[in-house]
Amino acid sequence: CETWAFLKMKQTWPLRYAGVDADLSVLVDSISASQVTEVCHSRNLSDHQVTARCFDSFGGKKRARLIEESKKKRKRYGGGAQGKRPSSDGSDEESMPLPNPMVGFNLPGYRGPSMTRVLPELATGPPYFYYENVARAPKGVWAKITRFLFDIQPEFVDSLHLCAAARKRGYIHNLPTENRSPLLPLPPKTIFEAFPHYKKWWPSWDQRTHFNCLQTCTASAPVTERIQQKLSSSGNPPPQSVQKYVRHQCSKWNLVWVGKDKAAPLEPHEMEYLLGFPKDHTRGFGKTQRYKSLGNSFQVDTVAYHLSVLRDMFPNGITVLSLFTGIGGGEVALHKLGIHMRAVVSIEICKANRKILRSWWDQTQTGTLIEIDDVKSLKDDEIASYVHRFGGFDLVIGGSPCNNLAGSNRHHRDGLEGEHSSLFYDYFRILNSVKSAMANM
Ligand code: SAH
């Protein structure tokens, strides 16, 4: 109860940016790190110069100028206090500024402004925690999630910078952000690197190099039939209007060219590959289920990059509390990093997903896997007994459902209080329950 009240108070945690103490409220309310980067990059400054010039002089004239520029930028986007960008579907989207490029604190080959963060004591591990959800959520959602999760700023990453498919996600965690290492080999970064055989039928006027976010459903037969019919009744190249229509459908549904005038959805095994899962990870289930599970999952290489710091910290392996496990994106990432999972307590409501995880676990792991159906059923006494049995959890990981946050069905985009998305509060509740049980060990 004390923790709850404490967390509900608006705190201004001190952050240390490149050696300069800055107050979080200053950073959020007046200028964000990402906006600083944008301004500095637009002036062709190197990363080093960005760091040195933008953050070394937060108190002086430069800061005033940067704030002025960021205000102009917000105005251009029609923004409010934290900047608001137009959304593709015209809805009122998240007001927390999304960085551009969306590379988080760093990614292999990309560095954001160098940042050493000092987390509030209440937020530091053990346990480490890692929370994920869609980056483009309705207005105020990330601000609220952030407030609940100790005012730690989200790390927004588009997996497009690491693999051949976009996936814009926000991650809030208390992991160190230095000395990360990617899974090797690095995944293919373009469509043709991933699937060279599709070059054969790919029309030159379809210039996609990356897939859009892989979704939970795919194009129906009428969509692909209509494309084929439009193209076969046009010349070569087809008129601009037909090209535009086809390009739009191909981007929207992530279609690939599998024959003359023939576009088709990605197969589930191709999605497994793009998302970093082992081949046939979801095989044995119907296609609809496979698309759904894969469409909801982590991009393994992205998550593994963030989790890689755990390898040296836990040479003897880790114990994990995995909420909303899905098909085990977090577990696959840890395994690929070579981190032994001594025990995983996994909570996942979908039976097919549990079977997928169990089958992968039995083939690859020697540790203990305990499966629970519903986060709502996991109460303090049971959590305390697992904490006691495993000597605490090293990592509490999970991405709660985004059903009410993302997608084109605006009817159900009712924000964090929506039926599914409100499960975030269970993540928060369970994390705090683990923390207090561990404090009493
Ligand atoms: N990170 C996962 C996917 C998370 S998607 C992965 O890599 O696969 C959110 C998951 O939460 C879905 O798999 C959904 O089935 C599950 N879920 C929804 N409601 C739940 C509940 N009440 N308890 C546990 N899991 C739930």
Side-chain angles (χ1 to χ4, degrees):
C1 186
E2 221 174 69
T3 312
W4 183 271
F6 179 63
L7 286 169
K8 284 198 140 179
M9 282 192 311
K10 178 79 188 114
Q11 295 290 321
T12 50
W13 306 111
L15 293 187
R16 182 172 286 268
Y17 277 77
V20 180
D21 279 336
D23 182 295
L24 182 65
S25 62
V26 169
L27 292 169
V28 170
D29 291 338
S30 50
I31 188 160
S32 74
S34 58
Q35 285 166 326
V36 171
T37 325
E38 275 184 53
V39 171
C40 296
H41 279 155
S42 70
R43 297 169 167 202
N44 292 328
L45 302 182
S46 70
D47 277 348
H48 178 74
Q49 287 168 314
V50 168
T51 309
R53 285 182 157 189
C54 296
F55 290 104
D56 278 357
S57 55
F58 244 112
K61 276 187 190 167
K62 281 172 194 158
R63 178 186 157 186
R65 206 174 58 222
L66 288 170
I67 290 172
E68 205 39 53
E69 292 201 27
S70 96
K71 273 188 194 154
K72 276 188 208 154
K73 193 156 208 163
R74 280 182 215 162
K75 218 172 181 179
R76 215 180 308 143
Y77 286 124
Q82 293 186 340
K84 189 169 80 180
R85 285 156 200 244
S87 64
S88 52
D89 61 0
S91 60
D92 210 3
E93 282 195 335
E94 179 58 56
S95 52
M96 189 169 276
L98 295 175
N100 179 20
M102 202 185 277
V103 295
F105 301 146
N106 52 56
L107 273 185
Y110 297 88
R111 274 196 312 122
S114 61
M115 184 191 93
T116 315
R117 53 181 194 165
V118 177
L119 299 172
E121 207 178 317
L122 192 68
T124 55
Y128 286 104
F129 71 87
Y130 189 83
Y131 175 78
E132 177 258 16
N133 215 318
V134 288
R136 287 189 196 283
K139 194 174 172 183
V141 165
W142 273 108
K144 197 164 196 182
I145 294 177
T146 301
R147 223 159 44 234
F148 272 83
L149 294 178
F150 317 103
D151 267 338
I152 297 177
Q153 288 302 287
E155 175 164 18
F156 289 111
V157 182
D158 187 344
S159 296
L160 169 81
H161 298 290
L162 197 59
C163 71
R167 212 168 192 74
K168 294 184 176 65
R169 295 289 184 265
Y171 305 88
I172 294 188
H173 59 84
N174 61 351
L175 294 161
T177 57
E178 300 90 15
N179 301 321
R180 292 165 160 179
S181 52
L183 288 177
L184 294 174
L186 290 173
K189 275 187 86 168
T190 62
I191 294 177
F192 287 159
E193 274 175 48
F195 307 121
H197 57 286
Y198 286 141
K199 270 185 202 164
K200 183 169 178 199
W201 298 109
W202 206 278
S204 59
W205 44 267
D206 177 355
Q207 288 174 349
R208 284 174 297 155
T209 54
H210 286 82
F211 293 111
N212 262 325
C213 185
L214 306 174
Q215 307 279 7
T216 49
C217 55
T218 56
S220 59
V223 171
T224 49
E225 278 163 17
R226 196 165 154 74
I227 289 174
Q228 188 157 26
Q229 179 247 316
K230 272 191 181 268
L231 288 176
S232 52
S233 58
S234 308
N236 189 14
Q240 288 295 330
S241 60
V242 173
Q243 287 184 26
K244 193 173 166 205
Y245 169 81
V246 173
R247 269 200 306 262
H248 175 72
Q249 295 298 321
C250 287
S251 300
K252 177 174 174 188
W253 294 108
N254 280 323
L255 303 178
V256 287
W257 295 98
V258 297
K260 184 171 166 3
D261 301 335
K262 195 173 167 193
L266 286 165
E267 289 293 327
H269 74 269
E270 292 172 323
M271 280 175 66
E272 286 169 350
Y273 178 54
L274 292 167
L275 291 165
F277 286 92
K279 191 166 179 300
D280 294 338
H281 188 69
T282 58
R283 196 157 171 182
F285 292 85
K287 260 192 171 183
T288 309
Q289 178 65 52
R290 293 178 76 187
Y291 283 128
K292 184 173 173 205
S293 298
L294 287 160
N296 277 328
S297 78
F298 287 159
Q299 203 288 327
V300 169
D301 301 86
T302 311
V303 170
Y305 184 63
H306 298 156
L307 299 180
S308 61
V309 293
L310 294 169
R311 191 172 26 208
D312 290 345
M313 284 190 238
F314 297 99
N316 298 322
I318 61 173
T319 54
V320 182
L321 180 57
S322 170
L323 307 179
F324 314 105
T325 307
I327 53 172
E331 289 73 6
V332 170
L334 290 166
H335 173 63
K336 281 185 145 185
L337 286 165
I339 299 175
H340 172 58
M341 285 163 275
R342 286 190 279 116
V344 172
V345 176
S346 157
I347 307 150
E348 168 55 52
I349 209 156
C350 165
K351 196 171 173 191
N353 286 349
R354 288 202 302 274
K355 281 190 175 172
I356 289 166
L357 181 78
R358 170 59 73 183
S359 135
W360 170 81
W361 185 273
D362 290 344
Q363 287 169 61
T364 59
Q365 305 298 306
T366 53
T368 306
L369 174 66
I370 293 171
E371 288 169 293
I372 299 169
D373 294 2
D374 191 341
V375 290
K376 294 209 167 291
S377 71
L378 186 61
K379 300 290 190 242
D380 289 348
D381 50 349
E382 200 181 352
I383 293 169
S385 82
Y386 287 125
V387 163
H388 182 71
R389 174 169 165 194
F390 297 119
F393 288 106
D394 301 310
L395 176 67
V396 178
I397 185 169
S400 55
C402 60
N403 308 37
N404 308 109
L405 305 182
S408 50
N409 190 347
R410 289 170 74 193
H411 188 63
H412 296 291
R413 284 188 78 183
D414 34 14
L416 203 55
E417 315 313 318
E419 184 192 344
H420 303 284
S421 302
S422 59
L423 289 165
F424 159 72
Y425 296 109
D426 286 281
Y427 178 93
F428 171 77
R429 171 182 63 81
I430 292 168
L431 173 62
N432 278 300
S433 178
V434 170
K435 281 169 92 70
S436 42
M438 286 175 67
N440 291 332
M441 271 194 327

